[in-house]
Structure formats: C-alpha cells, structure tokens
Amino acid sequence: MSMNLHGGHPGQTFERLGLPPRPVTDFSVNVNPLGPPWSVRKAWPGLISEVSRYPTLDGDGVRAFYRKRFNLPGECVLPGNGSTELIYLVPRALKIKRAGIMQPCFQEYERALRLGGAEVFSVPLSAPDLFKPLPVETWENHLVQADAVCIGNPNNPTSTITPRKDLLELVSRHPDVIFLVDEAFVQFLDHPGNVSLLHRRYLRPNLLVFHSLTKFYCLPGLRLGALIGHPDTLAGIRPFKEPWTVNSAAEAVAGLLAASRKYERYTRELIAYQRQKIAAALADVPGIKLFPSATDFFLAQWTATHDLDGLLRPLLMEGVHVRDCRNFAGLENNFFRFAVRTPAENKRFQRALMHIASYANG
Ligand SMILES: Cc1ncc(COP(=O)(O)O)c(C=O)c1O
C-alpha cells in the first residue's frame, strides 16, 4: 500500500482507493484556516515588481521580520525556503553522526539526518500514555548515545509539548549534544510565549530552533521560515547554505507579517474555541479515539473497523480529506490526523465523521 508522506495531496488518496476525484475540504494540512493575512492579499498584485530582480543572498526580508516580531538580532537568524530547507541544511553543515528523534514526528527529520550521513535512533512517545512529553530522566538515558536530538515542539502529529524548562535543563546539562527543536506550530498555541524558545535569552550554542512562517500565516506555497540560534553556531552553518533560496516575493511578504498582530490574535481565538468544540463533540464517539491537542490539529485513532480505509473512503465521498498517519512510526494502527478549520467546515467534518462511525459500528 503506497501512502502520502505529507498531507495536502487528496488526489493520491483518491487514486489509491480507486475513487473518482472530486473537490474536498482538506483537513490533512495544518495551515491557518483564515488564509493569508489581508495585508498580503492586498499587496499581492504589486509583488510582480519584486520577481523581476534577484532577492537578497540570505533572505534579509525574513531576517527583518524576526527582528521586528520577535526582537531577534540578525546574527541569530538564518532564513530559508521554508523551515524544510534548514532541516536539511543543519545535519549536513554540522556533520551530525548519531541523532535521536522523538517519534512519531514530521518525517523529514529522519530523511534529512540520514542524507546528512547521520545514524538515527527513535526516542518513542507512548500511545497508551497519550503521547505525553518524556520526563527528563528518560531523555538522559537517550542522550548518552547521541550527538544531536530532534524534538517537535509542539510535535506533529501528536501535539506533545515538551516543557521549556525541561529542554533548557537538558541543553545546559549536555553541552556536547545539539538540540534541534522544531517550532513550526508554536504560534497556534494559546500562549506561545510559555513554550517557545524564540527569544534571545534562551539561545545557547547547542540549541537550534526551526521556525516556519508557512503554517500560521497560511503561506505554504511561498516557502519561508528560519533557523534561530546562537550567533556562533549559525556562523558555522551559514557557509553551507545556497544563495537566493528565499525568493523576492517571500521577502516582501515577510515585511508585512510583523504588523499582523490582529490576525494573529483572531487566529488564536478561533483555533482555541474550535479546538474545544471539536474535543467536546468527538470525546465519546464510539469508533473514534481522540488524543488531546493544544494546537491546530488533532491526532485520532479509528477503532470501528480493522482498516482505516473504512473511514477514509466514505469521508472522501463526503468531500473530506484527512491525513492517513499509518506511515508514521508508531501510528500504523489506524491513526489519522485532521486540522482545526473554520466553524462551518469543522461542523461538516464532525457530522460526516459521526455518521460514518455510527454506520460502521452497526
Ligand atoms: C512539524 C513540521 N515542521 C516543519 C515543516 C516544514 O514547513 P515549511 O518548510 O513549510 O516551513 C512541516 C510541514 O509540514 C511540519 O509539519
């Protein structure tokens, strides 16, 4: 059975299930359901003038965003063509030899580390423990054999949050281990400031944070993000990076995002309220096990039939696409993920899910 490595490709799922394609609402991608900020939409036609010239070598427009929005000095920011570029750059530049990855997680960490020449081992979260964060002692056991560890925070697809104080304690106790923390979804949290390491005071030479601007600002097609770290560590990585990877339209758009505070607030309110409603509506549906979420997506498990296709097929026929998670390590047993979207879309999704579950439960 071939399955998508990423969300956002309903066509492949239609094909795999032998169904004729039709328009769907795509719950398999966790981007802001509001779409890009209004300021970006308004500026869009004018961006044609940007693409007729080369962008800056190192994405200065994105660097300026992090200075304005997070008060991060330019020397602590390495912009990229989405955080994916930087996830691939770091193992290559730092010549990581042996890395632990908190799993299940975004699958590109493992691929990037292996392509960079690293050996990889799993630091597993436990489904019976609801994918709760690992205690510091568990990390200690894993860290003895690693020169790097990779931790999604919040983690995709489990929504696990590793407390900042635990991370900082481990970072200071293990100066020879490089901590790679992915904060692609951190801005969707109710209080990102309680979790995020995107502040000058938290930066250490053995800590690197991947940050994305494509999820929270709904710009996945524009590709922009950054690696945040200590100036000395970034100075060692920068020489390995290709020039011009942040395009000039993305640079110009980054300049608009720093002033999107109203959009940010509204997004967080919308997500928080909808998340609560979804959790309440699906808490006791027979055939669906919902895992706790603090962000803009839920992990769930289908237990009504033996095969997740028993859910995916009728959902697609109802015009709903979710992320099949069976190709994540540890999620083979009928796990799926869905995004929190607009009120009307969420309602439609819940209705479809409940209807299919009641039908499957006989
Ligand atoms: C956890 C996580 N990190 C990073 C990325 C990459 O995001 P981008 O390259 O668009 O910044 C993704 C994309 O799905 C993701 O899920």
Side-chain angles (χ1 to χ4, degrees):
M1 175 177 17
S2 92
M3 270 183 287
N4 309 351
L5 209 52
H6 297 289
H9 301 284
Q12 288 178 14
T13 317
F14 276 110
E15 196 179 325
R16 186 179 67 75
L17 294 172
L19 294 171
R22 50 161 291 175
V24 292
T25 306
D26 197 356
F27 288 81
S28 74
V29 197
N30 308 318
V31 294
N32 192 324
L34 296 175
W38 175 241
S39 56
V40 175
R41 294 167 195 246
K42 212 165 69 182
W44 190 253
L47 295 180
I48 189 69
S49 62
E50 302 291 336
V51 298
S52 57
R53 58 177 178 78
Y54 268 88
T56 63
L57 282 171
D58 281 334
D60 290 351
V62 170
R63 192 173 283 113
F65 163 82
Y66 284 95
R67 190 174 54 243
K68 281 194 212 132
R69 178 61 186 80
F70 293 104
N71 208 15
L72 286 162
E75 59 191 3
C76 298
V77 179
L78 185 57
N81 186 262
S83 56
T84 302
E85 182 195 357
L86 306 157
I87 289 170
Y88 277 81
L89 173 66
V90 168
R92 184 158 44 93
L94 296 183
K95 302 184 174 50
I96 293 170
K97 296 269 178 309
R98 187 160 163 75
I101 306 180
M102 191 179 84
Q103 286 181 325
C105 65
F106 183 49
Q107 287 154 321
E108 298 299 337
Y109 309 148
E110 179 166 349
R111 184 162 176 264
L113 282 158
R114 288 194 191 281
L115 285 175
E119 237 181 87
V120 165
F121 66 92
S122 177
V123 180
L125 294 164
S126 145
D129 283 343
L130 305 177
F131 304 104
K132 282 206 193 89
L134 300 171
V136 169
E137 311 80 69
T138 306
W139 277 112
E140 292 284 1
N141 296 336
H142 287 291
L143 291 174
V144 290
Q145 33 166 342
D147 58 2
V149 285
C150 202
I151 302 171
N153 208 30
N155 187 51
N156 175 17
T158 59
S159 195
T160 305
I161 295 176
T162 303
R164 181 167 60 203
K165 73 168 181 28
D166 290 4
L167 280 174
L168 290 174
E169 188 181 328
L170 290 165
V171 165
S172 76
R173 275 203 221 162
H174 296 273
D176 296 335
V177 176
I178 185 109
F179 287 76
L180 308 173
V181 179
D182 182 356
E183 293 196 358
F185 291 99
V186 81
Q187 284 174 279
F188 286 106
L189 299 179
D190 295 351
H191 303 288
N194 294 347
V195 172
S196 179
L197 295 161
L198 286 194
H199 194 289
R200 208 173 173 169
R201 82 173 82 105
Y202 300 124
L203 300 182
R204 312 280 190 272
N206 60 326
L207 170 67
L208 288 168
V209 183
F210 300 108
H211 190 253
S212 172
L213 299 178
T214 70
K215 316 281 181 195
F216 188 74
Y217 300 101
C218 192
L219 300 165
L222 207 51
R223 317 298 310 127
L224 61 173
L227 178 67
I228 312 298
H230 189 279
D232 296 347
T233 315
L234 289 194
I237 295 173
R238 199 169 280 120
F240 290 85
K241 189 186 167 302
E242 294 82 359
W244 302 306
T245 59
V246 181
N247 67 74
S248 43
E251 284 201 273
V253 164
L256 304 169
L257 300 181
S260 302
R261 291 300 185 110
K262 236 193 199 160
Y263 169 91
E264 293 187 6
R265 260 198 315 277
Y266 184 57
T267 299
R268 272 194 277 278
E269 281 168 19
L270 172 79
I271 296 293
Y273 186 61
Q274 289 301 309
R275 186 173 57 230
Q276 261 176 23
K277 287 189 72 143
I278 294 168
L282 300 182
D284 298 315
V285 176
I288 292 158
K289 180 171 178 187
L290 195 69
F291 289 82
S293 169
T295 182
D296 68 320
F297 54 83
F298 279 92
L299 182 66
Q301 190 177 21
W302 173 249
T303 59
T305 61
H306 288 306
D307 189 346
L308 182 66
D309 288 350
L311 170 67
L312 300 185
R313 189 185 301 273
L315 268 183
L316 277 180
M317 287 173 354
E318 299 259 358
V320 170
H321 185 234
V322 294
R323 170 70 158 97
D324 182 345
C325 287
R326 288 174 293 179
N327 60 353
F328 282 88
L331 301 184
E332 297 83 357
N333 191 10
N334 292 341
F335 282 83
F336 64 102
R337 186 195 68 203
F338 60 92
V340 177
R341 293 198 53 82
T342 63
E345 289 170 327
N346 296 335
K347 219 180 255 170
R348 214 180 108 226
F349 169 62
Q350 279 164 42
R351 236 183 271 132
L353 200 60
M354 287 154 98
H355 175 70
I356 295 163
S358 71
Y359 189 79
N361 283 309

